[in-house]
Amino acid sequence: MSIQTNPDKVIEAEATVPKSPARRRLGVAERERQILDGAIQFFSVHGFYGQLRDLAKSIGVTHALLYHYFPTKQALVDRVYLEVFEGRWRAEWDALLDNPDMTVEDKLTAFYWEYVTITLSKEFVRILVFAGLTDHTITDRFFAMLRARLFPRLIRETRRHRGVVSRARPSEREMELLMGLHGGFFYITMRRWIYAQDVYSESAHEGYDETLVRDRVRAYLSASRDFFGDTTGSTRKRPAPP
């Protein structure tokens, strides 16, 4: 048994040890936000095969607390979908594409510039790709939204650009040309966030300016010249050679 010869020295030493600051207790909304932000980052890195126990550890919460806010993994995935995909769709885009006073070229350029530079973030792109490699739950919901809110407007505006007044169902050629435009913009962000390649120059790795968006839109509208009046999907017959 040791004998304490100078207890004042021990007290003085203990007094100089810094105490850890007390952690502020998060409210319900703040804690849910913490878990959701952590889940977005986690799924964008590990995909949807990652375990929730590992997710909880990466966030710094207990497994039980995570389940208190999201009782199933699907509930968390659904919340991530609403946050990253539907939550980033802007109501003003509907008004932009419906504006009768703008040219079609200007409309599509303004829309896709924002869509590429603001919406298609690293988390958006990586989560969408991971979802396509698993059960398609997120991809099916996202493309259903695009088919309801975006693609019909783009078809309508492209026909208007060509002076075609028709509400007929788009032909396969129309949709495939449109998918070339839309998918081309998504591939820009694939190059950036999946392949880790520069977008178009080493000096502009994070950017894609409006001029390049307009170039793609013009190419799309130019390619529509030959067949956007053909809403039946039939192929025009070529004249017989002389």
Side-chain angles (χ1 to χ4, degrees):
M1 182 175 181
S2 61
I3 300 175
Q4 181 63 58
T5 57
N6 192 353
D8 290 340
K9 289 289 185 181
V10 177
I11 295 173
E12 181 180 345
E14 290 178 348
T16 60
V17 176
K19 295 183 179 180
S20 300
R23 287 189 176 183
R24 184 174 67 88
R25 188 179 182 86
L26 297 181
V28 173
E30 290 176 302
R31 181 67 73 187
E32 182 179 296
R33 184 77 252 174
Q34 177 198 21
I35 294 173
L36 181 59
D37 289 342
I40 291 171
Q41 292 299 319
F42 183 83
F43 289 141
S44 72
V45 173
H46 302 286
F48 296 99
Y49 290 119
Q51 299 296 314
L52 292 190
R53 191 175 301 278
D54 295 329
L55 167 60
K57 184 177 180 180
S58 71
I59 298 174
V61 301
T62 66
H63 197 202
L65 182 62
L66 190 152
Y67 271 107
H68 174 75
Y69 283 87
F70 298 96
T72 66
K73 186 175 183 179
Q74 188 59 52
L76 181 57
V77 170
D78 289 342
R79 186 69 176 83
V80 167
Y81 168 77
L82 292 175
E83 179 74 16
V84 176
F85 295 91
E86 285 196 13
R88 294 189 182 184
W89 184 269
R90 300 185 172 188
E92 54 264 34
W93 289 342
D94 297 337
L96 168 67
L97 294 172
D98 292 340
N99 185 348
D101 298 325
M102 293 178 67
T103 67
V104 174
E105 180 183 314
D106 286 344
K107 287 183 184 183
L108 269 59
T109 299
F111 167 74
Y112 274 114
W113 184 81
E114 287 198 8
Y115 188 73
V116 172
T117 59
I118 298 174
T119 305
L120 299 184
S121 67
K122 179 179 181 179
E123 294 76 22
F124 182 109
V125 173
R126 291 182 62 86
I127 288 175
L128 190 66
V129 170
F130 276 126
L133 296 173
T134 52
D135 64 358
H136 298 177
T137 300
I138 283 180
T139 53
D140 287 348
R141 292 177 66 181
F142 179 61
F143 277 98
M145 184 186 76
L146 293 182
R147 285 191 293 268
R149 301 190 66 170
L150 178 61
F151 296 157
R153 284 185 164 92
L154 297 182
I155 291 292
R156 179 198 66 199
E157 290 303 304
T158 309
R159 288 175 176 178
R160 187 169 76 88
H161 179 74
R162 287 292 161 210
V164 176
V165 180
S166 172
R167 294 187 178 183
R169 183 176 180 177
S171 68
E172 290 183 3
R173 291 182 67 197
E174 283 182 285
M175 287 306 302
E176 282 305 308
L177 185 65
L178 180 59
M179 290 301 99
L181 174 70
H182 189 81
F185 284 118
F186 185 72
Y187 183 67
I188 294 167
T189 53
M190 287 273 291
R191 285 154 53 194
R192 180 185 299 158
W193 302 125
I194 303 298
Y195 305 131
Q197 301 298 308
D198 294 313
V199 174
Y200 62 95
S201 72
E202 293 182 0
S203 62
H205 180 76
E206 299 296 327
Y208 198 79
D209 63 36
E210 184 179 350
T211 301
L212 298 180
V213 175
R214 188 175 293 276
D215 287 344
R216 285 175 176 259
V217 169
R218 284 176 174 171
Y220 162 74
L221 293 175
S222 178
S224 72
R225 179 184 300 112
D226 291 336
F227 65 88
F228 258 79
D230 177 13
T231 60
T232 64
S234 62
T235 303
R236 293 180 180 178
K237 294 182 179 180
R238 294 181 180 180

